Amino acid sequence: MVRYAEPGTVEWVESDGGPLVAVPETVLPFWAGADGDDLASDYDRACEIDGTFGLLPVGDRTALVLGDEPAATCYLPEHGTFVRWCAAETEDELLAAVPDALATADWTDDVRWDVPGPVVLFDSAWPGPHTDRADSLRVTLEPGPYAVRSATVRPGPETWLALVQLRALDGPRT
């Protein structure tokens, strides 16, 4: 995990250039990353996601791929949002822009994501069983359906961030 400010402030995950993926812990062993015998590895499938996010099957569940930019990403549980650092002078500047960015964002349409519980965010090139050796972040989510939406916001001339927000839906739990 990368920290740009004081320890404990916000933990950021970075990739080596490919997309980040949030895989449910229950199916983490099934994510092969760039490894694998198939013609298209899990990493290849993640790279095919067109846009800011997408869903991919993993085992009997679904992973959330954060596409578009290989930007440093954190999760802010108070906003239920992955924040992607596209441009800002400092972490404080970027995080200070989040509330206004959330309020003014032009959101994409919602996509439903059924989550069995906590997920692990990491570089999609890594195999799931090896995330303990990779830059990764465990995100605690309650089991159930979520509406996922995204937006790219430029709250200032030198500040640009991408948001991927998860909102719990009422309905049957997975």
Side-chain angles (χ1 to χ4, degrees):
M1 260 168 288
V2 177
R3 287 197 173 97
Y4 295 99
E6 293 299 316
T9 303
V10 176
E11 297 172 356
W12 297 88
V13 174
E14 295 182 341
S15 80
D16 290 329
L20 295 174
V21 63
V23 177
E25 280 183 333
T26 59
V27 294
L28 208 50
F30 299 106
W31 185 266
D35 297 341
D37 298 329
D38 295 335
L39 294 176
S41 68
D42 289 336
Y43 173 76
D44 292 332
R45 294 186 313 130
C47 289
E48 290 176 5
I49 294 296
D50 187 30
T52 55
F53 75 92
L55 300 176
L56 285 179
V58 180
D60 64 350
R61 297 294 176 177
T62 308
L64 175 68
V65 177
L66 303 181
D68 225 15
E69 286 277 326
T73 302
C74 70
Y75 183 75
L76 300 180
E78 66 274 21
H79 300 294
T81 303
F82 290 102
V83 176
R84 314 206 63 212
W85 186 335
C86 300
E89 288 293 321
T90 66
E91 179 183 46
D92 288 340
E93 177 184 311
L94 183 83
L95 294 175
V98 169
D100 285 341
L102 289 166
T104 61
D106 183 15
W107 296 101
T108 60
D109 291 336
D110 290 349
V111 172
R112 181 186 169 116
W113 184 32
D114 292 311
V115 179
V119 300
V120 179
L121 179 70
F122 59 98
D123 185 331
S124 61
W126 278 91
H130 300 291
T131 57
D132 58 334
R133 292 184 276 171
D135 190 15
S136 65
L137 175 66
R138 183 177 190 266
V139 177
T140 302
L141 296 174
E142 290 296 317
Y146 287 80
V148 183
R149 63 184 184 170
S150 69
T152 301
V153 184
R154 294 182 186 221
E158 302 295 323
T159 306
W160 169 28
L161 55 131
L163 307 167
V164 178
Q165 188 175 57
L166 311 177
R167 295 174 296 128
L169 296 172
D170 293 331
R173 296 294 182 204
T174 57

